[in-house]
Amino acid sequence: MTLDGLENPLRSSGSVEDHTAEGKRVYYENCLACHGDALNGLGHYAQGFNPAPLNFQDVGTIAQLTESFLFWRIAKGGPGLPNEGAPWNSAMPAWENFLTEDEIWSVIIFLYEQTGHSPRAWEAAGEEGEEH
């Protein structure tokens, strides 16, 4: 999967409200037990994991990520990630085995809408801060 420049396809189709509602359904059916009702990483099973599930409310988490990275991270989960991604040490399942791509993209929209964060945007080549 190539992440460079990949955009959430649902952002340009349908309504954000509909995608948010679908993402909420997916989140509450699959993510709530670990990440919590308040999206703060304090779900019912959270204390059983080290590291703890991600706190989406923290500005240092999803607000720092592109939607494509979040898609990849949710799809691939924790176990079995390539060595280049170490150290993951995460018990999150590979959701690509259980959810459709649209369900993953919609839950990402839900996360950003609920937390009030905006996803990090791709920087165009040659923008400030890029090394040459």
Side-chain angles (χ1 to χ4, degrees):
M1 170 183 279
T2 301
L3 299 179
D4 188 20
L6 180 65
E7 301 289 339
N8 186 333
L10 300 184
R11 294 267 181 207
S12 59
S13 69
S15 74
V16 172
E17 294 81 16
D18 289 345
H19 296 312
T20 300
E22 173 65 1
K24 180 178 181 177
R25 180 195 65 78
V26 172
Y27 181 89
Y28 275 82
E29 288 179 6
N30 300 285
C31 313
L32 175 76
C34 297
H35 292 282
D37 188 41
L39 287 78
N40 59 4
L42 299 175
H44 297 294
Y45 300 133
Q47 68 276 8
F49 296 109
N50 183 15
L54 197 60
N55 174 359
F56 300 118
Q57 297 290 355
D58 183 346
V59 73
T61 60
I62 65 171
Q64 302 300 315
L65 303 173
T66 61
E67 286 184 301
S68 59
F69 179 85
L70 202 52
F71 179 89
W72 174 78
R73 186 67 180 91
I74 293 168
K76 297 301 180 185
L81 287 175
N83 290 336
E84 296 82 17
W88 287 107
N89 192 26
S90 169
M92 189 170 82
W95 287 107
E96 67 186 350
N97 297 326
F98 305 100
L99 301 174
T100 67
E101 286 187 10
D102 281 356
E103 286 175 320
I104 295 173
W105 285 121
S106 66
V107 81
I108 291 169
I109 290 173
F110 169 73
L111 293 174
Y112 284 107
E113 291 296 313
Q114 282 299 113
T115 61
H117 299 312
S118 295
R120 186 174 183 175
W122 285 100
E123 296 175 3
E127 285 191 17
E128 185 176 324
E130 185 176 317
E131 292 185 25
H132 299 280

